[in-house]
Amino acid sequence: MDDVLCDYTGAHGAALLAWPHVKFPQGVEGFFRDLHPMLGAIDAVNRLRSVSNLFVLTAPSTRNPLSYTEKRIWIEEHFDYEFTKRLILSPDKGLLKGDFLIDDHIDGKGQERFEGKLIHFGTDAFPNWQSVLRQFESIGILT
C-alpha cells in the first residue's frame, strides 16, 4: 500500500519538516488515513479489480497500532466497503500466495520469499501505474 497505492514517503518527509520534534511521524494519529493516493493508483486498481482476484497486501506500522485501522479506512474511502474485505495486513509478505506482488521493495518484509512474480514498483522498469498496467496488458490480463 505505502508508496504503491498511497504516498507514504511524501507524507513522511512533510511530517518530519512540520514536526521536527516527532521522531516517528507515522505514529501520529491520522497519518495513514490521510495519505494521498499515488498518481494513477485508484484507476489502475479499479481496472485490475474488474478482471482479476485482487487483494491489497500491506505491512502495518508497528510504531503505530492505529495503522491497522487507518489503512482499512483508507481503502474504504478511496475504493469502497467491499474492497476492505480484500485487505490483508501482514508484517511478512512472504507468507502469502499469489501470482503477482506489486511492491516498492524487493525485500525486508518477506517480499523475497513471495512465490509469484514481484513487480518492483518505482523502479526504471515499473516507475508508475501506467507501466504496471502495460505489463498486465502484455501478458493478456488486461485488454
Side-chain angles (χ1 to χ4, degrees):
M1 217 174 134
D2 305 332
D3 286 332
V4 175
L5 291 182
C6 49
D7 184 13
Y8 173 93
T9 297
H12 190 264
L16 286 172
L17 290 173
W19 310 315
H21 61 285
V22 177
K23 187 174 182 179
F24 300 105
Q26 69 272 29
V28 173
E29 183 176 349
F31 179 86
F32 287 96
R33 185 188 61 236
D34 295 337
L35 294 174
H36 296 289
M38 298 291 283
L39 183 65
I42 305 302
D43 290 338
V45 167
N46 282 329
R47 196 165 163 212
L48 288 168
R49 284 175 67 189
S50 72
V51 299
S52 67
N53 190 21
L54 189 68
F55 287 82
V56 173
L57 170 59
T58 186
S61 170
T62 57
R63 297 206 180 271
N64 180 357
L66 296 172
S67 73
Y68 294 78
T69 301
E70 290 185 12
K71 287 179 178 225
R72 188 266 184 223
I73 291 168
W74 193 96
I75 292 294
E76 183 172 4
E77 287 180 351
H78 290 89
F79 295 100
D80 53 45
Y81 169 74
E82 286 304 311
F83 203 39
T84 67
K85 298 174 187 178
R86 304 187 71 71
L87 173 64
I88 300 169
L89 290 106
S90 174
D92 187 345
K93 296 177 181 184
L95 295 173
L96 288 105
K97 304 249 184 230
D99 296 320
F100 298 94
L101 173 63
I102 303 167
D103 205 291
D104 61 321
H105 295 285
I106 58 171
D107 59 22
K109 294 196 173 22
Q111 298 94 327
E112 67 278 6
R113 292 187 323 280
F114 182 78
E115 294 178 7
K117 177 177 173 43
L118 176 66
I119 295 177
H120 192 185
F121 192 84
T123 62
D124 288 343
F126 300 104
N128 53 39
W129 274 100
Q130 194 173 47
S131 62
V132 172
L133 293 177
R134 279 195 302 271
Q135 170 68 20
F136 288 116
E137 289 167 350
S138 75
I139 59 176
I141 291 175
L142 288 173
T143 55

